[in-house]
Amino acid sequence: MQFLNGQDYIQQVSIDCVIFGYQKKQLKVLVPKLALKGDFSSLPGGFILQNESIDQAARRILQARTGLKDIYLEQFRVFGDLGRNNMPFFEQIVGLNQEQQGAESFNRKELEWITRRFISIGYYALVDIHQVVPQKSEIDQSIEWYTINELPSMIMDHNQIVDDALQSLRLSLDQKLIGFTLLPEIFTMKDLQELYETIYDKPFARNNFQKKMLELDVLDRLEKKFTGAANKAPYLYRFRK
Amino acid sequence: MQFLNGQDYIQQVSIDCVIFGYQKKQLKVLVPKLALKGDFSSLPGGFILQNESIDQAARRILQARTGLKDIYLEQFRVFGDLGRNNMPFFEQIVGLNQEQQGAESFNRKELEWITRRFISIGYYALVDIHQVVPQKSEIDQSIEWYTINELPSMIMDHNQIVDDALQSLRLSLDQKLIGFTLLPEIFTMKDLQELYETIYDKPFARNNFQKKMLELDVLDRLEKKFTGAANKAPYLYRFRK
DNA sequence: TATTATTGTCTAATTTTTAGACAATAATAT
DNA sequence: ATATTATTGTCTAAAAATTAGACAATAATA
């Protein structure tokens, strides 16, 4: 972990990203598991270089994990309580990984750096899950999409951060036209409705939902989608950029 | 400025507070002017001690400037662009205050500290302006309430921060019951309506505004207010805590 | 050609918002 | 005392928006 040295990064400030995806009527979050004994999961995150803005830092972190360059991104909250540090986490690691590579791979200075109190800027990202090729970082054992109701227990307050992100997402969804960023470019009205129902965790009336979406005047109606099912074929739509 | 030394504070993170008050149908912001040649104004701000949460830091800063302990407080955004530093500001100061006390009162180390890039957490506060006794800090020449449309030009992006704060305030106002915190404890329906009209900068229909507020079921109706005016006396109301 | 599941859209019912009206009232003027 | 004035409290109708119900259109299969 030699990348943590010195003053390249702003001290004691981190970025944590809640990466939302959507698949099979489920809202998902991309979560890596650390390559250490003991099943530690942690939101994708990182630090801010001295010569990049916080938004740039978030994009860099997101690109590293998703491979995507243009991502819908929203800063939603800063987490700055006392006791936001990795000390308990590293103590556990040291205990569990006595003769492993994990704890030893940190030198003393790095350990001091990473176990100090951190203020974390929370971002959420909305991605088309099909475009993402999840990428482990060098400290990850794996990285996976988890359904939002089946998230693993994560370090520090990361589970709380996801809850906050979802709340912010719901608040913004009907003010800004951001829902589409979770879908493939082309979708049916039913796809869109199911997405909304998933995010808000409640049903919408089909007729009125459709009317409302069309009244927004941001959807282009394309050709029909013939699936081979024994029923009327729905139109495909695309968000007008 | 010996309080800036060492590691007592989190490095490169600041807090900037937009303190909103309301008086005579005008929304006001409390802004200090720095005790330096050249009319420099700057939002009330400060830094975060290692052993306090960011909210505690904001409360400490607010209490120092307003004298008030319990203040409605909302964290609304982080400002983290590149180039957010006090360098240009200090260069001006040094130029203007050659043989003054200003620039000389910083030692080399402090100057280095304060002129680095900063990430700033924006808070806005809502106060009953009549309860506030504005207090200068040791670096202020004066501190004053400014009508929001007549704010002085402030250093860095502080004018932008106020704009963002107002936008956030408007968004929250009809979701949360926070408007009352800008009024004295007891007020008439007209007072309340004028407050809303000031914040949103648009008129509301009197009859419907009153109905809506009463339907919220958070106001206690008290006795009438007899002003001596030749007309029907309005009821006084109090927000039910 | 009938059947089935689903979609697109129309309309009525209901609720909410907006606008208008007017009586009540506390002082002042006559 | 009584009329006048400015403002407040509240009612109701009109308009708009939301919700719910209905049904025809359609693409496959039986």
Side-chain angles (χ1 to χ4, degrees), chain A residues 93 99 168 238:
Chain A
I93 287 178
E99 58 295 299
S168 295
R238 176 169 45 201

Side-chain angles (χ1 to χ4, degrees), chain A residues 85-131:
Chain A
N85 66 63
N86 292 302
M87 195 61 94
F89 165 55
F90 273 89
E91 278 167 359
Q92 273 191 72
I93 287 178
V94 170
L96 286 165
N97 297 268
Q98 294 286 15
E99 58 295 299
Q100 302 287 118
Q101 16 100 306
E104 270 60 35
S105 74
F106 296 97
N107 70 35
R108 188 185 178 76
K109 205 166 180 183
E110 284 164 353
L111 200 67
E112 198 176 287
W113 198 92
I114 195 74
T115 56
R116 290 185 78 178
R117 169 191 175 191
F118 270 91
I119 289 173
S120 192
I121 305 172
Y123 279 85
Y124 68 77
L126 305 180
V127 300
D128 174 1
I129 201 168
H130 308 95
Q131 286 185 40

Side-chain angles (χ1 to χ4, degrees), chain A residues 21 32 53 82 97-98 112 116 123 155 192 211 219:
Chain A
S53 71
L82 273 179
N97 297 268
Q98 294 286 15
E112 198 176 287
R116 290 185 78 178
Y123 279 85
I155 64 168
L192 187 58
K211 186 166 62 167
L219 295 183

Side-chain angles (χ1 to χ4, degrees), chain A residues 180-211:
Chain A
F180 308 103
T181 54
L182 282 165
L183 290 178
E185 197 184 345
I186 287 174
F187 49 86
T188 66
M189 193 56 73
K190 192 175 191 182
D191 293 334
L192 187 58
Q193 183 176 340
E194 285 173 349
L195 170 67
Y196 271 72
E197 291 180 333
T198 300
I199 293 178
Y200 285 108
D201 196 24
K202 69 175 182 188
F204 293 93
R206 183 182 57 87
N207 45 3
N208 301 324
F209 179 85
Q210 169 143 345
K211 186 166 62 167

Side-chain angles (χ1 to χ4, degrees), chain B residues 207-208 224 226 228-232:
Chain B
N207 46 3
N208 301 323
K224 290 190 169 189
F226 296 93
N231 53 42
K232 185 173 179 178

Side-chain angles (χ1 to χ4, degrees), chain B residues 30-70:
Chain B
L30 189 59
V31 181
K33 186 178 289 182
L34 300 176
L36 296 165
K37 254 190 186 168
D39 271 8
F40 294 102
S41 289
S42 159
L43 285 175
F47 308 105
I48 302 158
L49 288 166
Q50 288 293 353
N51 66 347
E52 68 182 353
S53 72
I54 56 174
D55 284 1
Q56 285 167 348
R59 290 192 188 286
R60 175 174 52 75
I61 292 163
L62 286 168
Q63 192 176 355
R65 302 310 187 104
T66 64
L68 300 183
K69 208 158 187 180
D70 284 322

